[in-house]
Amino acid sequence: MNPISSTTQSTVGVGRARDGIDSVHLKDRVARIAGKPTPTQSGSHFASAFCTLALAVSLAGCAGLPDQRLANEALKRGDTALAAQNYQQLADLGYSEAQVGLADIQVDSRDPAQMKQAEATYRAAAAVSPRAQARLGRLLVAKPGSTEAEQHEAEGLLKKASVNGEGNTLIPLAMLYLQYPHSFPNINAQQQISQWRAEGKPEAGLAQVLLYRTQGTYDQHLDEVASICKAALNTTDICYVELATVYQKQAKPEQQAELIKQMQAGHARGTVSAQRVDSVARVLGDASLGKTDEKTAQSLLEGIAPGYPASWVSLAQLLYDFPELGDVDTMMKYLDNGRAADQPRAELLLGKLYYEGKWVPADAKVAEAHFQKAVGREVAADYYLGQIYRRGYLGKVYSQKALDHLLTAARNGQNSADFAIAQLFSQGKGTKPNPVNAYVFSQLAKAQDTPQATELATTLEAQLPPAQLAEAQRLLKQEQAIRGASGQNKLDMHALQEEDGEETL
């Protein structure tokens, strides 16, 4: 097997972090701000038609003409194919906002090729569209392995878009400064956020929440988070997710129930998106945040799933976590609905069911097929594929395939993948043991803070002679440099960047 110094060069770089079935990315992702939000699916909501498209909208009654309003409405109900068709026709006619809408769909796919195409589309529209400037800026902030030049370009685009009246620019700016302090040595993120708050800028409060998450001090500031989000609730509906998280952590069921009633009323009026309801339901079903309310979560999801396909998968996940809520036939029905709407989380959960043998008989070959359909859109798919190949579940160990998938997962924020790679190199199962590479990934795996990871790292460090230890430490720094900012930071940025019921980068 090639050493880490060579294998790392051909593997995908850091992307959005998404752990387990709730993956990052973050798209789903809910996008729940509560720790594990989920990558965003194809039901993202975009803004209504801009005045530049008023003529096209007014001609909607003419047969065969593309319709921006039709595209927007199709997108709201999850029909990305129809939305993309109309956006494409308008984009071909030169309408910049349709170009932005089309690029948004490309970004939402999470497909690397389409993401690259989206960047080019945003660039084409950025000269005349502040919205495209903001979108391109956010894309560059989240771009894996971005260069320092791209980071400074992102800063300029976001600032320019803000001057031109675009919202949703401060949070990605804050994340830019937090992720890449070496590129902005003269900017202190906390001081910048404090200045924004002193100036009364609307997004500054959520930027502060982001900083708390990034620093790991969120739980020490729950009251402040609640205060920030109560003030912003009427203008930023992602605060429903934050407040639900705070109330669950603080064990305040009465406040939680009142918040849910308020959210449901807003959803009925059309001021709170279905995606946001889905996010809150996920919070209610997340045991890591406190006492769950899975029955309320199920009720919320059942109410929106017919019009928001991502919630079919959220319902299936809820049954997976709380089997008493349904049976295997109900779960499979939910997953079939999700797959019909091209929800990669559905493929991921199906793969996990066959991988674990939970609810259905274990079948590594079937699991592999489902995971492969989710690769590129769900980080955990690479992790599970790597484990299938590493553990020899298909009859033999495929060590290089295991490393390729596990390294991709690890660099995209799946911490458990580092431990699996350390085991692969230390055990030598199906490959020659490599104690230097085993050391590198055991050190990275210590971020899991589990007894197994800590014990393995300690054991491997004690076994290395001085010369090999020096080489291993050099490779560790190299791998850390490749990864750059942590995947969790990227996830928090994604979760906090949404506003006005619109899920964005």
Side-chain angles (χ1 to χ4, degrees):
M1 178 175 295
N2 295 330
I4 181 63
S5 57
S6 61
T7 57
T8 55
Q9 294 176 3
S10 61
T11 311
V12 178
V14 177
R16 287 196 170 86
R18 291 167 286 185
D19 286 342
I21 198 67
D22 272 341
S23 85
V24 117
H25 358 96
L26 88 176
K27 274 188 173 184
D28 85 272
R29 276 164 212 159
V30 164
R32 164 169 97 223
I33 321 188
K36 282 199 300 182
T38 59
T40 301
Q41 308 302 334
S42 58
S44 304
H45 299 109
F46 298 103
S48 299
F50 279 75
C51 59
T52 55
L53 294 177
L55 178 59
V57 173
S58 70
L59 293 175
C62 299
L65 287 177
D67 187 346
Q68 171 84 16
R69 181 177 55 193
L70 178 63
N72 293 339
E73 292 174 353
L75 205 53
K76 287 182 179 180
R77 63 176 181 269
D79 190 347
T80 54
L82 181 60
Q85 177 184 341
N86 281 272
Y87 281 140
Q88 182 68 67
Q89 293 180 56
L90 287 165
D92 291 343
L93 293 173
Y95 290 104
S96 61
E97 297 310 325
Q99 292 174 325
V100 172
L102 181 63
D104 286 340
I105 294 176
Q106 293 166 342
V107 167
D108 191 60
S109 73
R110 314 320 306 163
D111 176 77
Q114 290 199 51
M115 293 280 284
K116 186 175 182 180
Q117 188 174 349
E119 180 178 341
T121 305
Y122 286 140
R123 288 188 182 281
V128 296
S129 169
R131 190 171 181 79
Q133 295 162 6
R135 286 291 206 273
L136 178 57
R138 292 197 291 272
L139 181 62
L140 293 176
V141 171
K143 185 176 182 178
S146 63
T147 65
E148 185 170 341
E150 287 173 324
Q151 293 154 19
H152 282 280
E153 181 186 8
E155 181 190 38
L157 286 163
L158 291 167
K159 287 183 175 181
K160 185 176 181 180
S162 179
V163 170
N164 287 328
E166 273 296 311
N168 199 8
T169 55
L170 294 192
I171 294 171
L173 267 176
M175 197 63 242
L176 186 66
Y177 299 146
L178 288 167
Q179 281 191 136
Y180 305 109
H182 58 279
S183 295
F184 304 95
N186 298 324
I187 296 179
N188 178 285
Q190 179 61 80
Q191 291 178 0
Q192 180 63 80
I193 291 170
S194 297
Q195 180 180 331
W196 289 337
R197 296 184 76 180
E199 294 169 355
K201 294 188 175 181
E203 296 174 60
L206 288 180
Q208 183 67 64
V209 174
L210 172 62
L211 185 139
Y212 290 150
R213 288 192 174 282
T214 303
Q215 293 179 333
T217 59
Y218 183 88
D219 286 357
Q220 287 72 54
H221 296 90
L222 293 178
D223 288 337
E224 183 181 355
V225 172
S227 177
I228 288 171
C229 277
K230 285 177 182 177
L233 193 60
N234 291 332
T235 56
T236 310
D237 72 355
I238 199 168
C239 276
Y240 281 104
V241 186
E242 282 289 2
L243 287 170
T245 302
V246 170
Y247 293 150
Q248 193 146 320
K249 283 178 173 287
Q250 293 182 329
K252 294 182 176 180
E254 294 83 8
Q255 289 91 329
Q256 185 85 294
E258 186 60 34
L259 178 74
I260 290 170
K261 288 181 181 178
Q262 186 177 349
M263 178 187 70
Q264 289 176 303
H267 179 62
R269 293 192 305 269
T271 58
V272 176
S273 68
Q275 186 268 335
R276 198 65 68 230
V277 177
D278 181 280
S279 301
V280 170
R282 291 183 184 220
V283 170
L284 298 179
D286 189 345
S288 71
L289 302 177
K291 182 175 174 56
T292 59
D293 186 356
E294 59 272 17
K295 290 185 178 179
T296 299
Q298 185 179 34
S299 177
L300 289 172
L301 293 168
E302 287 175 342
I304 61 174
Y308 184 66
S311 289
W312 291 120
V313 191
S314 299
L315 276 166
Q317 179 66 51
L318 196 65
L319 262 63
Y320 178 90
D321 293 333
F322 302 94
E324 67 275 10
L325 294 178
D327 54 30
V328 65
D329 290 337
T330 302
M331 175 180 281
M332 290 302 182
K333 178 182 177 181
Y334 290 156
L335 290 174
D336 285 344
N337 289 340
R339 295 176 72 201
D342 192 28
Q343 298 293 315
R345 281 195 306 132
E347 299 291 354
L348 182 61
L349 183 51
L350 265 173
K352 189 174 180 181
L353 291 175
Y354 285 103
Y355 175 86
E356 296 180 341
K358 181 176 180 178
W359 297 72
V360 296
D363 189 323
K365 194 66 178 177
V366 175
E368 179 193 31
H370 287 297
F371 289 141
Q372 286 176 339
K373 292 178 181 178
V375 164
R377 297 191 287 175
E378 295 292 331
V379 170
D382 278 301
Y383 170 74
Y384 285 115
L385 283 170
Q387 290 287 51
I388 286 174
Y389 301 138
R390 181 182 78 84
R391 292 174 171 170
Y393 285 174
L394 298 177
K396 60 176 290 188
V397 173
Y398 295 92
S399 56
Q400 187 60 50
K401 290 173 70 174
L403 177 60
D404 290 343
H405 284 285
L406 289 171
L407 189 57
T408 297
R411 288 179 172 179
N412 280 277
Q414 184 97 22
N415 290 333
S416 49
D418 283 316
F419 183 67
I421 298 174
Q423 289 179 307
L424 176 68
F425 282 124
S426 63
Q427 295 172 352
K429 189 176 179 181
T431 186
K432 184 178 179 180
N434 187 318
V436 171
N437 286 351
Y439 169 88
V440 170
F441 290 96
S442 70
Q443 292 296 313
L444 293 166
K446 287 170 66 176
Q448 297 178 64
D449 196 26
T450 63
Q452 298 92 332
T454 301
E455 180 182 359
L456 180 60
T458 302
T459 300
L460 291 171
E461 184 171 12
Q463 293 175 348
L464 283 180
Q468 283 190 318
L469 181 59
E471 172 65 7
Q473 290 173 339
R474 183 187 69 80
L475 291 175
L476 175 60
K477 291 180 180 179
Q478 175 181 301
E479 179 64 14
Q480 290 170 330
I482 289 172
R483 298 189 185 193
S486 74
Q488 184 60 53
N489 289 354
K490 290 178 180 292
L491 176 60
D492 287 338
M493 178 195 67
H494 174 75
L496 282 167
Q497 273 186 312
E498 303 160 25
E499 63 173 23
D500 300 331
E502 178 183 351
E503 188 164 310
T504 63
L505 287 169

